[in-house]
Amino acid sequence: MKRIVVLVSGEGSNLQALIDACQQGRINAEITAVFSNKSAAYGLERARLADIAAHALDVKAYEDRAAFDVALADAIDEYQPDLVVLAGYMRILTADFVQRFAGRMINIHPSLLPKYPGLHTHRQAIENQDTEHGTSVHFVTEQLDGGPVILQAKVPVFSDDSEDDLVARVQTQEHNIYPLVVSWFVEGRLSLKSDQALLDNNPLPYQGYAAD
């Protein structure tokens, strides 16, 4: 069975969606460990409740970002993961870390990439009076939120939406598409070659998989 390690920084709702999918057999894999840069992250408690190893690394214990990422990568490697999943992990990764897990690390970002990389995506969508917003699952590369997109989900933006309204609508879609993409990877259907996402050996378009 394939092995997955998940990185979180906060609530961990996408982690919970992945835990549920594994328990229900929708993902034929085991989440072997969850790591966080914040000891109080509720995602760690979600892991413990599911009998998954939960670890927090204190950023202040390391000389710099590079040293922290080396320690984190070494700790992850102890679990020999086939896939590293970022689920609300809020630290920018060093190039060495990304290269170490290249082709087997994915992230979910709350926007329709390449639109709105970085933070406060929902707020930007509302302020710019967008009529649609969404979420993207992508391979992680050295470019922030810039790796090849695998799958996106769109949601409407209504004129009276608050930021919380939009967050909730997007998260509902995240919880649907992230387990699906993880299942594609562990089934051997999804890969990264020459900075191109492939599904069933077919190159995916820039916006990721789109059903006919």
Side-chain angles (χ1 to χ4, degrees), residues 48-140:
R48 296 184 189 104
L49 291 171
D51 293 322
I52 298 168
H55 305 279
L57 276 70
D58 183 359
V59 175
K60 296 177 182 178
Y62 299 89
E63 181 179 356
D64 53 25
R65 187 162 63 98
F68 177 88
D69 273 12
V70 168
L72 177 60
D74 287 345
I76 290 170
D77 267 341
E78 291 184 13
Y79 289 91
Q80 299 180 314
D82 298 284
L83 179 65
V84 177
V85 176
L86 309 183
Y89 185 67
M90 301 304 292
R91 282 180 61 84
I92 296 174
L93 299 167
T94 58
D96 285 346
F97 186 98
V98 172
Q99 290 167 8
R100 188 156 167 178
F101 299 106
R104 55 191 179 108
M105 182 162 56
I106 60 176
N107 181 49
I108 192 161
H109 181 75
S111 81
L112 298 173
L113 292 171
K115 200 170 190 178
Y116 306 140
L119 302 176
H120 309 304
T121 61
H122 310 295
R123 186 183 311 165
Q124 292 180 75
I126 291 172
E127 289 176 348
N128 291 329
Q129 299 181 330
D130 292 353
T131 58
E132 67 177 12
H133 187 45
T135 183
S136 306
V137 181
H138 64 95
F139 277 106
V140 177

Side-chain angles (χ1 to χ4, degrees), residues 21-70:
C22 289
Q23 292 175 342
Q24 295 162 6
R26 290 184 287 121
I27 297 175
N28 185 26
E30 177 187 8
I31 300 174
T32 54
V34 174
F35 287 87
S36 181
N37 59 311
K38 296 184 178 181
S39 60
Y42 186 65
L44 293 174
E45 182 62 19
R46 293 182 188 273
R48 296 184 189 104
L49 291 171
D51 293 322
I52 298 168
H55 305 279
L57 276 70
D58 183 359
V59 175
K60 296 177 182 178
Y62 299 89
E63 181 179 356
D64 53 25
R65 187 162 63 98
F68 177 88
D69 273 12
V70 168

